[in-house]
Amino acid sequence: MYEGLGALRQNARVTSEHRDDYQELVDEISELLGAPATLENRDFELIAFGAYDSEGDLDPSVLDPVRTRSILTRRSTAAVRAWFEGFGITRATGPVRIPRTPEAGVHRGRICLPVRHRGVVLGYVWLLDYDPGPSERQLGAAMGVTARIGALLADEAQHGADLTRELRAVLTAERDWQREMAVAELRTALGNRADGPHTVVCVAPWPATDPDDAPSVRTVPGATALCTLPWGATALSLALLLRLRSTDVLAPATTAASRLLERVGSRGPGGRSGPPAAAGIAAPRAGLAELGAAWTEASASARAALAEPRLGPVAQWASIGPFRLLTALPPGAAHDPAVGPLLSPAHTELARTAEVYLDRAGQAGRTAAELGVHRQTLYYRLSRIEQLTGLDLDDGEDRLLLHMALKAARL
């Protein structure tokens, strides 16, 4: 179904620090050749869609199935890729004309302009062939623009290098000297970018069974490196090292975490099929010296958001309150024997009553209103809680113990 050029271009947005540059260059090619052009990387993933309209709206027939899918899903299938590569585009240094093949879903012929840098193909500019078509002079001018695109792609490839191994080594180091060596290696790989403001984001659980199943670092705005790490006994989490403009502004981290959670929600047919996920963001820091501590904060914030939905789905370390202390406790440390009986499945309602009562600073009226019960019912439940635990709810230390144990049970 024809959606219109504006809608297609909206769907062609990419997450790249050079996005606007790519768009301007593709628009320049569209103007030079008098036809809309698309830019894809060498993996046939859409980067930019150039709009061109000489006499009004484009004929909907230009939107053949291959072209429509490329724009709307930002990628082509493996079969389509193999078909186009069969015309020698990976080796070509100049324009390649590809005939229309309706049985392959290609209803219009194509002209492919290989994007190369220092002899290496990094992507392709595509336009629909038309009669009489662009002149050799026009195509030559367009190839000059593709050289500029190639330089941008090469620069992005260098700065978006896969640093999965280096980041994972830092975050999994068990000894200080191991972490120091891993940080030094990561710092060397990042060069000048290592000294700027960064934060760490944790998304958990990450819906993958393979530790190497993670998005490309280039698809996350501001990402410096990312990797997957164990999350509990069987699950994985995603760790993201994200550069910031300032340690005072965490908005880029919040945006990146939200987009990654959207990706979690869209995994598999029909949307999310696994457990709910949450994201945590560490306090921002300059440089990489405290990367291990930042990961601890980010993963603790994600745990807090999973335990306490009101904190999520994206929780910042500064906003999780008492969970900053509770998440630092060793496993099982907060399982107090006095509170144990209250946490049994038979007393779920009593446990919720106790937590709401303590969250509301022991104010009976507010607690009863939130629970939707009469005050007398609340007082009866509170007396039952005291009988089960042996704790005195009029004693500050007993209340503190009960409150901590209830919050820790969520973790």
Side-chain angles (χ1 to χ4, degrees):
M1 181 174 155
Y2 179 58
E3 295 189 11
L5 195 53
L8 292 178
R9 190 169 184 177
Q10 180 75 13
N11 281 319
R13 291 179 177 174
V14 296
T15 54
S16 164
E17 61 184 277
H18 292 309
R19 178 179 61 192
D20 292 340
D21 297 323
Y22 290 134
Q23 191 63 62
E24 289 178 5
L25 291 171
V26 172
D27 286 342
E28 184 177 340
I29 291 176
S30 295
E31 290 292 334
L32 280 172
L33 301 181
T38 57
L39 171 63
E40 295 178 341
N41 65 18
R42 59 187 168 197
D43 294 322
F44 283 51
E45 295 172 336
L46 185 66
I47 296 175
F49 176 82
Y52 178 81
D53 184 5
S54 59
E55 298 293 338
D57 290 339
L58 289 170
D59 184 344
S61 67
V62 303
L63 296 174
D64 60 32
V66 168
R67 183 176 177 83
T68 301
R69 187 185 191 282
S70 172
I71 295 174
L72 295 181
T73 68
R74 305 182 187 178
R75 65 174 62 241
S76 296
T77 65
V80 167
R81 173 178 173 175
W83 189 81
F84 280 119
E85 288 179 343
F87 290 90
I89 61 174
T90 60
R91 302 179 300 277
T93 57
V96 177
R97 278 188 158 84
I98 298 172
R100 64 184 293 269
T101 311
E103 59 270 24
V106 180
H107 294 175
R108 294 281 300 274
R110 302 286 201 277
I111 299 177
C112 174
L113 308 180
V115 177
R116 309 182 80 90
H117 183 75
R118 296 182 177 177
V120 178
V121 64
L122 300 177
Y124 307 99
V125 172
W126 299 92
L127 63 144
L128 298 171
D129 207 354
Y130 57 92
D131 189 19
S135 66
E136 292 302 316
R137 181 178 179 181
Q138 287 176 302
L139 289 173
M143 286 300 297
V145 180
T146 67
R148 290 150 57 195
I149 295 174
L152 283 180
L153 286 171
D155 177 73
E156 189 172 15
Q158 180 180 5
H159 287 81
D162 185 359
L163 299 176
T164 296
R165 182 183 63 83
E166 289 82 355
L167 180 62
R168 183 177 286 133
V170 173
L171 301 185
T172 58
E174 296 181 355
R175 299 181 182 274
D176 290 343
W177 66 267
Q178 292 174 322
R179 178 168 285 111
E180 288 172 3
M181 289 182 62
V183 168
E185 188 173 354
L186 180 59
R187 184 181 289 114
T188 299
L190 290 175
N192 294 335
R193 293 177 296 154
D195 298 324
H198 287 85
T199 189
V200 173
V201 177
C202 170
V203 179
W206 183 254
T209 56
D210 184 347
D212 294 324
D213 185 6
S216 167
V217 70
R218 300 181 202 172
T219 66
V220 183
T224 298
L226 55 78
C227 67
T228 55
L229 295 170
W231 183 264
T234 58
L236 294 173
S237 62
L238 183 75
L240 170 69
L241 178 61
L242 191 89
R243 62 184 178 273
L244 302 171
R245 294 187 180 89
S246 164
T247 54
D248 298 327
V249 181
L250 273 174
T254 303
T255 299
S258 298
R259 289 183 179 179
L260 287 168
L261 286 175
E262 289 176 2
R263 185 173 303 196
V264 172
S266 64
R267 298 284 283 236
R272 177 180 298 161
S273 58
I281 302 174
R285 291 167 168 81
L288 306 177
E290 299 182 18
L291 206 51
W295 170 244
T296 298
E297 293 175 2
S299 56
S301 301
R303 287 180 64 202
L306 288 168
E308 186 63 79
R310 64 179 176 80
L311 296 175
V314 178
Q316 298 180 17
W317 172 251
S319 69
I320 64 174
F323 286 100
R324 290 196 294 270
L325 296 176
L326 294 172
T327 52
L329 295 174
H335 294 173
D336 187 81
V339 185
L342 184 63
L343 297 176
S344 70
H347 300 304
T348 301
E349 192 60 45
L350 288 179
R352 178 170 179 266
T353 296
E355 188 170 3
V356 173
Y357 177 71
L358 295 169
D359 284 346
R360 299 295 169 265
Q363 297 182 32
R366 292 177 62 195
T367 304
E370 181 164 338
L371 294 173
V373 299
H374 193 275
R375 280 202 187 198
Q376 289 302 119
T377 302
L378 172 63
Y379 292 141
Y380 170 75
R381 291 183 182 179
L382 295 177
S383 67
R384 288 281 294 129
I385 291 167
E386 290 182 324
Q387 292 171 10
L388 280 169
T389 62
L391 299 175
D392 181 359
L393 293 181
D394 290 329
D395 182 277
E397 290 189 357
D398 282 2
R399 286 164 67 151
L400 176 61
L401 171 62
L402 178 59
H403 210 178
M404 288 180 62
L406 289 169
K407 294 298 184 186
R410 291 182 176 274
L411 295 171

